[in-house]
Amino acid sequence: MVTPRTLSGFKDRLPQESMAKNMLLNRVSEVFLKFGFVPIETPHIEHADILVKQGSEEIQKELYRFNDRGGRDVALRFDLTVPLARFITQYQNELELPFKRYAIGNVFRGERAQKGRYREFTQCDFDFIGSESLSCDAEILQVIYASLINLGMSEFSIWLNHRKILNGICKHFGITDKSSVDAVLRVIDKLDKIELGGVISELNIELGISTQKAQEILEYTSIKQNGAGKEFFKSIESMKEWNKELKEGIEELEELYEILLPLQMDKDCYRVNFSIARGLGYYTGIVYETVLHRLPSIGSVCSGGRYDNLTRTFSKQRLSGVGASIGVDRLLAAMKELRLIGGKSTSARALIISMDKAYLGYVHSLAESFRRSGIAIEVYPDIVKLKKPFSYANVLGHEFVLVVGESEFKAKSVTLKNMTSGMQMEDITFLKALELLKED
């Protein structure tokens, strides 16, 4: 006999968690559609050369890469952004630009499994392709904000930075080679994981940056907005004089804040943090990371940024894009811990029980009428004593139980019980039962 088990870093989902996940994805999809984003789908497997060298060195080490039965070099996608670049290039003559898409699907990274992080996980991406306007960057931030609000979240911060700011700080300290700058940014991006001492040590030992210079770099990359945006930008005004790249990065963030100023978003929810680097190498502009105040240890639950050169792997045509990814599994783990996920293991609001086989036709016709009226209802299939189906309803989370016995069958009525309040009404009509189910 084969022992049933799952691989480390992979998981099954029981109905309660699957329903919570569907709820999450439905709610964020509602937001995407309101902003005009449309869904697309891409394969889980791509030709390996599509994915290789698109992510950081760390992600390349985590790539699931193999030869298929045809001997082709293939790999499982590690995110949904690189397949998007291939998709846009391949179908550019069939798509109208700017193009706004969202995609929901599983991705694979052979990283160390830990709480809220798996080797197979669902990503939920939304991207704005084909425009360099900061209006797009502002809209991505609005979608992040609206999505979390629609999920019942209220205490979170969307941290913002600009890759030009980080590049400019590196340039100010004499680090100008692109590969060296990228290496520095990847180390800085680990600040929350290995802390200040670890970052200085890594910059010193692995990249040959002196301890003093490393400390100076970290002094400026640790700058963080605490108050209002206007006062913050005034406090860093002098940094614009360091070099052109740093000046452009700061001014683009200022422009972004001007776009956001008239909106009804909570201004305290988005703030600048110079330590936000985003490890993926394709980001070139504004970057985002979203953390929950009550669960900071779980990491970013929604992150992304602008990438101006992603499609250059597939085409000489330069297409600018900006987008973000909702970390579905992390967010689900957080919502579970914060008790924002319901305990239901059923999609039905009510359960209807027949006390005799002779009444099953009537029971199914009632259920059909409820469904046509917009009420999700399940028929209990077996003819048993009431204790068992009531226990079933209680465990799965049905809000109402309807019972059809001899008297109800003769009167063409039902007995209805509210499983939350315990209220019970006997021999009521279908219309009365429907009214009660719609009211609650």
Side-chain angles (χ1 to χ4, degrees):
M1 298 292 289
V2 177
T3 303
R5 63 202 187 278
T6 54
L7 287 166
S8 174
F10 296 82
K11 65 175 295 185
D12 296 315
R13 292 188 191 276
L14 294 173
Q16 186 174 331
E17 189 177 1
S18 291
M19 288 193 64
K21 179 180 176 181
N22 287 341
M23 176 275 292
L24 185 156
L25 294 175
N26 287 338
R27 288 191 183 178
V28 297
S29 295
E30 286 173 6
V31 174
F32 301 154
L33 292 169
K34 284 180 181 177
F35 279 82
F37 290 79
V38 294
I40 67 166
E41 294 181 24
T42 59
H44 288 73
I45 299 176
E46 298 272 3
H47 288 283
D49 61 352
I50 300 287
L51 302 176
V52 168
K53 295 183 180 177
Q54 291 296 321
S56 66
E57 287 181 15
E58 187 177 354
I59 285 181
Q60 293 306 311
K61 292 175 185 176
E62 297 167 352
L63 204 62
Y64 282 97
R65 186 175 180 179
F66 54 94
N67 289 329
D68 68 6
R69 289 186 177 180
R72 291 169 296 191
D73 185 13
V74 298
L76 293 173
R77 62 190 183 189
F78 62 82
D79 74 358
L80 298 178
T81 307
V82 178
L84 169 65
R86 189 265 306 155
F87 179 93
I88 289 289
T89 308
Q90 191 170 341
Y91 300 103
Q92 58 184 309
N93 294 328
E94 300 171 43
L95 301 171
E96 190 67 34
L97 296 178
F99 179 61
K100 300 166 73 171
R101 83 81 158 101
Y102 74 91
I104 298 168
N106 285 13
V107 299
F108 304 83
R109 297 181 190 177
E111 60 183 348
R112 184 173 64 86
Q114 54 186 292
K115 183 179 180 181
R117 299 186 70 174
Y118 304 96
R119 290 170 179 163
E120 177 187 15
F121 55 97
T122 303
Q123 275 194 340
C124 176
D125 283 14
F126 48 101
D127 294 82
F128 211 137
I129 308 295
S131 172
E132 296 183 17
S133 171
L134 285 173
S135 170
C136 306
D137 301 71
E139 190 163 295
I140 292 298
L141 191 146
Q142 291 175 66
V143 173
I144 295 172
Y145 180 87
S147 296
L148 291 177
I149 293 296
N150 207 33
L151 289 170
M153 301 285 187
S154 57
E155 300 176 52
F156 59 88
S157 289
I158 305 170
W159 291 111
L160 306 170
N161 198 12
H162 202 300
R163 289 298 281 260
K164 286 183 179 179
I165 290 173
L166 291 167
N167 293 342
I169 290 173
C170 288
K171 186 179 289 186
H172 181 71
F173 288 100
I175 303 167
T176 56
D177 177 70
K178 187 181 183 302
S179 60
S180 298
V181 171
D182 288 346
V184 169
L185 299 189
R186 280 195 293 272
V187 175
I188 290 172
D189 198 40
K190 299 178 184 178
L191 188 60
D192 289 339
K193 297 177 184 176
I194 61 177
E195 298 184 343
L196 192 63
V199 170
I200 291 173
S201 177
E202 210 165 302
L203 289 173
N204 182 234
I205 297 169
E206 296 190 22
L207 300 176
I209 297 172
S210 69
T211 300
Q212 182 180 345
K213 185 181 284 189
Q215 289 173 336
E216 289 174 342
I217 291 171
L218 285 170
E219 178 186 345
Y220 288 98
T221 56
S222 297
I223 290 173
K224 187 183 294 186
Q225 177 190 343
N226 292 314
K230 190 174 182 180
E231 286 72 23
F232 171 74
F233 287 115
K234 188 176 180 181
S235 72
I236 60 169
E237 181 73 22
S238 62
M239 292 179 70
K240 292 181 183 179
E241 299 174 8
W242 288 11
N243 52 63
K244 181 183 177 182
E245 199 164 12
L246 189 51
K247 182 176 185 289
E248 288 176 353
I250 293 173
E251 287 181 346
E252 286 193 12
L253 282 178
E254 287 179 307
E255 188 179 337
L256 175 71
Y257 270 53
E258 285 299 314
I259 296 171
L260 298 172
L261 188 61
L263 305 183
Q264 295 180 25
M265 294 169 57
D266 181 354
K267 303 296 184 289
D268 291 331
C269 276
Y270 57 90
R271 289 178 286 168
V272 177
N273 183 345
F274 283 0
S275 70
I276 302 300
R278 300 297 302 134
L280 293 172
Y282 47 66
Y283 291 119
T284 56
I286 293 171
V287 288
Y288 316 81
E289 281 198 359
T290 310
V291 294
L292 306 177
H293 294 173
R294 292 170 64 187
L295 290 172
S297 62
I298 207 164
S300 177
V301 295
C302 187
S303 55
R306 178 167 284 278
Y307 41 88
D308 287 337
N309 304 311
L310 190 61
T311 57
R312 285 189 176 179
T313 301
F314 311 104
S315 170
K316 291 181 180 179
Q317 182 183 4
R318 181 179 178 275
L319 280 178
S320 183
V322 58
S325 178
I326 291 176
V328 175
D329 289 301
R330 281 193 192 184
L331 200 47
L332 276 174
M335 292 178 74
K336 185 176 181 181
E337 197 157 336
L338 295 173
R339 298 185 179 179
L340 293 174
I341 291 176
K344 289 189 68 171
S345 296
T346 177
S347 59
R349 191 165 191 214
L351 177 71
I352 187 166
I353 304 165
S354 176
M355 297 297 295
D356 193 283
K357 285 183 180 180
Y359 316 148
L360 280 173
Y362 172 61
V363 164
H364 277 281
S365 69
L366 274 177
E368 182 182 50
S369 297
F370 278 116
R371 291 180 196 123
R372 286 183 175 177
S373 301
I375 302 296
I377 190 166
E378 178 182 357
V379 175
Y380 193 80
D382 299 320
I383 310 301
V384 292
K385 292 183 178 179
L386 286 177
K387 183 179 179 181
K388 188 173 182 180
F390 266 89
S391 174
Y392 175 85
N394 193 50
V395 170
L396 267 62
H398 293 91
E399 298 169 58
F400 297 91
V401 170
L402 291 77
V403 180
V404 174
E406 184 179 2
S407 62
E408 290 88 359
F409 179 68
K410 288 180 178 177
K412 299 302 177 191
S413 64
V414 295
T415 290
L416 180 145
K417 182 172 182 177
N418 184 314
M419 297 294 286
T420 304
S421 67
M423 178 202 75
Q424 182 166 309
M425 299 182 70
E426 298 181 358
D427 288 321
I428 60 173
T429 64
F430 163 78
L431 290 176
K432 180 62 178 176
L434 180 62
E435 180 186 332
L436 290 168
L437 265 63
K438 284 192 170 183
E439 268 182 11
D440 240 278

